[in-house]
Amino acid sequence: MPVVPLRKLILSAAIAAVLPIAAQAAPAQPNDFIEVFAKIFGEHKGIRKGHAKGVCAVGNFTASPEATARFDAALFSGTAIPVSYRFSLAGGNPAAPDYARSPRGLAAQFTLPDGSKHNIATLTTPVFGAKDPESFLGLLQASVPRADGKPDLAKIQAFRAANPDTQPQAQWLAANPPPWSYATAEYFGLHTFYLADKSGEKVKIRWHLQPKDGVKGLSATELEQQNANFLDDRLKQRLADGAVEFDWIISFGEAADSENDPSVQWPARPTLNAGTLRINASGDAGCGNINFDPNVLSRGFSASDDPVLRMRSPAYAISFGKRLSGQ
Ligand code: HEM
């Protein structure tokens, strides 16, 4: 039997001890997310790797006179701007049940009069599930099912305990029923952005979309019925009675408010109603080939350094490229 020198043994043990920590500390890469989504949700060719289940819709946006007066932003000129929307369920499962206690999404692509685009892609939770890409990736990796196909709940719990930033979204989802309809949920932008005002100053903002139909969740009975596909029909039925509208509510941040952590909600701040998002019809295929990359911003808006926001562009681009080429 070969004799291993003691010094070498101690060295290998030390390397083995630090390796898992070093692996976790490595910066998350965009493709890591695409790979881990496939491990959790399976491979679904030609389909979005996140928010796989959803429905397209169309309508427009008109800024409020207050927003037009205060901001130097192309989106807030006050003219009606056509919008392509997509409502969705979070996760990479195209057959996710509509009663799932997971975030819903609302994405919108505005086409400005000069042809330029502005995208938003929002969630129904007032906080995101992690403070940065590494923490989000760690949570996803802990959520990969075991060999028997079941989630390793102890592993997920241990990860959440060691990473408290992953707890508030889960707590919110446990405490609030999923939306009764796509039209009866608030949708949060979550990241911090900057918006130019008329004096040339860049104002620190966050925002959410407030449904004019009011906020309404599924009742306990409806949750028990476990109807897997009602959201698209309910939206169509609602649209038969006229447009669905959301107010775009902007909050003005103070110096202490987080600029780069979407897992932390700002305290209540002064707000401005920036205008009305209007949805006129749903169920067309118009949003199929849209990448709602939230860093595509029109004149007047700029992105913060939030690392989660920064990670979204390359991750969405990979998902977009794959699904367009049938992967
Ligand atoms: C590092 C963090 C994130 C990653 C890796 C990620 C990843 C993805 C991917 C791969 C897609 C599919 C894109 C496509 O094929 O077009 C997607 C869609 C989406 N994500 Fe994220 N996401 C992240 C954070 C967020 C956050 C913070 C929000 C909300 C503020 C959000 C909201 C959405 C919505 C609404 C969609 C659906 C867009 C559509 O309908 O096409 N995501 N995400």
Side-chain angles (χ1 to χ4, degrees), residues 33 48 50-51 86 121-123 191 292 312 316 319 323:
F33 291 96
R48 283 169 170 79
H51 292 250
R86 185 170 178 268
T122 65
L123 294 181
H191 307 291
F292 291 95
R312 292 176 68 186
Y316 288 34
S319 174
R323 60 187 172 88

Side-chain angles (χ1 to χ4, degrees), residues 28-82:
Q29 299 298 321
N31 200 47
D32 296 342
F33 291 96
I34 305 302
E35 285 176 0
V36 78
F37 286 151
K39 284 186 190 154
I40 298 174
F41 302 107
E43 302 260 9
H44 301 285
K45 293 191 187 309
I47 285 175
R48 283 169 170 79
K49 309 308 167 197
H51 292 250
K53 185 179 187 184
V55 63
C56 300
V58 289
N60 57 48
F61 168 72
T62 317
S64 66
E66 293 77 20
T68 307
R70 178 147 182 190
F71 300 115
D72 184 18
L75 201 53
F76 295 153
S77 68
T79 49
I81 291 171

Side-chain angles (χ1 to χ4, degrees), residues 243-294:
V244 167
E245 294 182 334
F246 293 87
D247 284 327
W248 186 340
I249 308 296
I250 287 181
S251 298
F252 296 98
E254 295 186 4
D257 297 339
S258 174
E259 290 176 28
N260 54 15
D261 184 349
S263 72
V264 173
Q265 194 174 11
W266 284 359
R269 294 295 183 212
T271 58
L272 179 143
N273 183 348
T276 306
L277 290 148
R278 201 165 294 101
I279 293 131
N280 295 321
S282 70
D284 64 308
C287 69
N289 285 355
I290 297 180
N291 172 1
F292 291 95
D293 176 345

